Amino acid sequence: MQFFNGIDLGESGNHTAHAAIERVKLPVPKIRQKYRYVVRFLEEFELGIHYPEQIDRLKETLSHDAFANARVGADYTGVGRPVIQMMRKQKVHPGLVPILITGGNAATWDKESQGWHVPKRDLVGTLQILLQADLIAWHERLPAARKLEKQLQNFKVRITKSKN
């Protein structure tokens, strides 16, 4: 079992959220997709928890044996960059990869940050396809499950005109 972890950092105005997803091979591909994604862990931190405490909690959670070979992506858009630096210094997880959400046209690897720059439209589009094809699942008793479901139902792509 391999987990893919996603961390969205926040502190005072937005919650930090951590989700662990297992990729499960389908017996028969569905709309050319070979896998279904099952949310196995979901946590939303209370507002106001400062980053050092959040990092300690994430480190403790990610030290669980189930996450030993996990991939861990953390959004470092905005103020996330220094938090990612703190997470690396604290050795939160060896599989930590920063992800910068952009308005670009293609996902690119950034050598300097050792992370990905990923267009928001790619993230949103992929998520919408997986949701519409019923290829994402989670148990309703997971913490924050109802909130996640509501957010995903209201998830929309906003297209803005480039200033260039």
Side-chain angles (χ1 to χ4, degrees):
M1 177 174 2
Q2 183 179 10
F3 287 101
F4 296 88
N5 289 260
I7 300 168
D8 185 16
L9 298 164
E11 187 178 39
S12 58
N14 293 313
H15 297 271
T16 287
H18 172 205
I21 299 165
E22 179 187 7
R23 185 171 71 174
V24 179
K25 189 164 178 119
L26 293 169
V28 176
K30 187 174 184 178
I31 63 164
R32 294 184 292 175
Q33 297 295 319
K34 296 179 185 177
Y35 300 96
R36 180 181 183 118
Y37 300 88
V38 182
V39 179
R40 300 287 188 198
F41 177 84
L42 186 60
E43 181 179 24
E44 182 179 69
F45 292 11
E46 305 85 33
L47 287 176
I49 297 176
H50 298 298
Y51 290 123
E53 185 181 340
Q54 290 184 37
I55 290 169
D56 290 343
R57 283 176 59 177
L58 289 165
K59 184 175 181 176
E60 181 181 341
T61 300
L62 291 168
S63 69
H64 189 281
D65 289 345
F67 299 130
N69 297 315
R71 294 184 182 175
V72 180
D75 176 14
Y76 80 106
T77 309
V79 298
R81 189 176 305 249
V83 181
I84 293 291
Q85 292 168 351
M86 290 169 43
M87 290 172 77
R88 283 183 165 161
K89 186 174 182 180
Q90 294 290 326
K91 297 183 168 106
V92 168
H93 193 276
L96 178 66
V97 176
I99 299 169
L100 180 69
I101 300 171
T102 71
N105 292 320
T108 57
W109 178 255
D110 180 57
K111 289 180 186 177
E112 182 183 335
S113 68
Q114 292 294 293
W116 286 100
H117 291 191
V118 182
K120 186 171 188 174
R121 68 156 198 225
D122 290 1
L123 295 171
V124 172
T126 301
L127 182 58
Q128 286 177 331
I129 289 167
L130 294 172
L131 285 168
Q132 289 168 4
D134 195 30
L135 292 170
I136 295 180
W138 58 86
H139 195 283
E140 63 186 28
R141 290 191 181 166
L142 278 174
R146 292 192 203 290
K147 186 172 182 179
L148 172 66
E149 189 169 8
K150 192 173 188 175
Q151 286 175 335
L152 292 175
Q153 286 171 349
N154 294 324
F155 210 58
K156 292 184 175 98
V157 178
R158 286 184 298 183
I159 299 172
T160 57
K161 200 171 195 172
S162 176
K163 294 181 181 182
N164 293 338

